[in-house]
Amino acid sequence: MLTTLKTAYTDTRAADLAWALGREPLPALATLDLQLADASLELRLLGASHQVLLDQEQGSCSETVACIPGSSTPLPLGVAKRVGDWEYEFAARVETLSRGQFAGRAQELLALVAEHPHGLAGVFPGSPHAFTALLAQWHEGQVQWRTWHAYPQDGQLVATRTRVGARMPAAL
């Protein structure tokens, strides 16, 4: 699903993004509710980026990647931790692209997410390449999602990948 967000573009630099786990739902500009196997997932586009809410029999989980006023947790390159009965893994990278590369990559990603039944993308006013996009899937007993945050003025694209699944017993 592709939508034009009706708000000012507030997270204007990749360096301003922060990561948080377990935050309460923030006001969303657009949402997509999904049922992936036994997991209920809500993809949320915020004025300041994204939030994903996961609810499963084992519990719930909330991931926020956004410009969070007063946050002291910058966007990490990677996180692996236990969340209740789950293993949570997060990875992020920032790509810097030329203007032409950026425009092409933005068009590719928006087309991919807009046409996917488990995708949500929002374009911010002022630039067709200023967007946040999320894409979720169920794979081998895990809920996974990828996100992209585009900063055309700097030619930067922030990509994240998250996996949440049941904790595996230790091998004997």
Side-chain angles (χ1 to χ4, degrees):
M1 180 171 90
L2 179 62
T3 187
T4 299
L5 301 172
K6 297 184 181 14
T7 187
Y9 187 45
T10 58
D11 63 334
T12 57
R13 294 175 354 123
D16 292 340
L17 285 176
W19 168 86
L21 198 57
R23 287 186 69 104
E24 291 297 316
L26 297 171
L29 300 173
T31 63
L32 179 62
D33 292 320
L34 300 172
Q35 189 67 38
L36 302 175
D38 66 344
S40 295
L41 198 63
E42 184 179 3
L43 306 180
R44 302 167 58 82
L45 293 176
L46 311 176
S49 273
H50 89 261
Q51 188 172 51
V52 176
L53 307 177
L54 170 63
D55 191 26
Q56 239 178 334
E57 186 177 307
Q58 297 94 327
S60 59
C61 175
S62 160
E63 174 189 279
T64 306
V65 173
C67 295
I68 304 169
S71 175
S72 59
T73 307
L75 190 64
L77 294 178
V79 174
K81 64 188 312 178
R82 291 182 177 172
V83 178
D85 290 336
W86 292 328
E87 294 289 343
Y88 171 90
E89 293 179 17
F90 172 87
R93 75 176 191 284
V94 179
E95 297 176 58
T96 301
L97 306 166
S98 71
R99 186 177 297 261
Q101 289 172 321
F102 190 92
R105 186 78 173 125
Q107 289 174 343
E108 275 178 10
L109 289 169
L110 286 172
L112 169 73
V113 175
E115 296 173 12
H116 197 285
H118 302 147
L120 175 63
V123 177
F124 290 89
S127 171
H129 302 132
F131 68 90
T132 299
L134 299 93
L135 185 62
Q137 68 177 3
W138 176 266
H139 182 69
E140 296 181 356
Q142 295 184 327
V143 179
Q144 302 178 6
W145 58 89
R146 298 182 66 189
T147 73
W148 298 272
H149 307 261
Y151 302 92
Q153 70 281 6
D154 297 325
Q156 291 188 318
L157 185 66
V158 178
T160 74
R161 181 184 304 256
T162 302
R163 293 188 319 188
V164 180
R167 212 166 33 195
M168 296 299 184
L172 298 175

